[in-house]
Amino acid sequence: MYQFSRAIYRELAPHIMAPPPGAAASSNHCAVLRACEEVITRLATDRHYFARPARTLFCDIRGYFPMSAQAQVHRVVTLYVGYAEQFLAEHPHEGYTAVNGAPPRCRATTRKGAACQRMPLARNGYCPSHQHLADTEDRELAAA
């Protein structure tokens, strides 16, 4: 998954502004790379609750670029986050495993309060036994 964050960083690195006096020479570069990796990690682990990842990343990093590069930054972020979302839609378990190192687990808890250990379905993060919880969430969202 980190190939997406690294690709964003590589394309935007030449446009990153110099840090303020007294700061480390690579501080702005490190901040942009860290923001890219955080968004991709959250996208892979919690994509059901991450409404606008491209917008989040753009807002996080736009201060590190001059005004003349803002349109380019927005295009690059939108393009590569779109690629990451497409990859996760096609390979949700592989993306999660690449970031976490472990396969995904169902978001529900058992009657005893322990986390469900079954493999979730890609469309909503719940295993087949807990699909009724996803249906309840959909109805609550529609009512709001």
Side-chain angles (χ1 to χ4, degrees):
M1 282 308 300
Y2 290 117
Q3 68 264 25
F4 296 110
S5 61
R6 299 297 169 118
I8 294 169
Y9 172 75
R10 276 193 307 269
E11 264 198 58
L12 297 178
H15 305 289
I16 296 174
M17 292 189 306
S26 63
S27 63
N28 285 358
H29 286 270
C30 291
V32 170
L33 180 59
R34 186 173 40 254
C36 293
E37 289 179 350
E38 287 172 359
V39 164
I40 295 299
T41 299
R42 183 172 173 207
L43 188 60
T45 58
D46 196 25
R47 70 187 172 101
H48 298 289
Y49 293 109
F50 198 7
R52 297 184 187 112
R55 179 179 176 182
T56 300
L57 179 57
F58 178 69
C59 289
D60 288 348
I61 65 173
R62 63 189 273 179
Y64 297 106
F65 297 91
M67 286 301 292
S68 60
Q70 295 290 318
Q72 173 70 12
V73 171
H74 188 266
R75 271 194 303 277
V76 169
V77 166
T78 303
L79 179 69
Y80 283 103
V81 170
Y83 289 154
E85 288 175 321
Q86 181 181 353
F87 176 81
L88 286 170
E90 295 170 3
H91 310 284
H93 299 303
E94 291 85 352
Y96 184 93
T97 304
V99 171
N100 255 5
R105 299 284 178 227
C106 177
R107 298 184 333 195
T109 55
T110 63
R111 291 181 183 155
K112 294 183 180 181
C116 179
Q117 297 296 310
R118 295 186 67 197
M119 184 70 72
L121 299 175
R123 68 177 180 263
N124 59 17
Y126 289 106
C127 68
S129 298
H130 291 110
Q131 286 300 302
H132 64 281
L133 297 174
D135 297 338
T136 304
E137 282 180 355
D138 292 340
R139 277 188 243 127
E140 288 174 3
L141 289 174

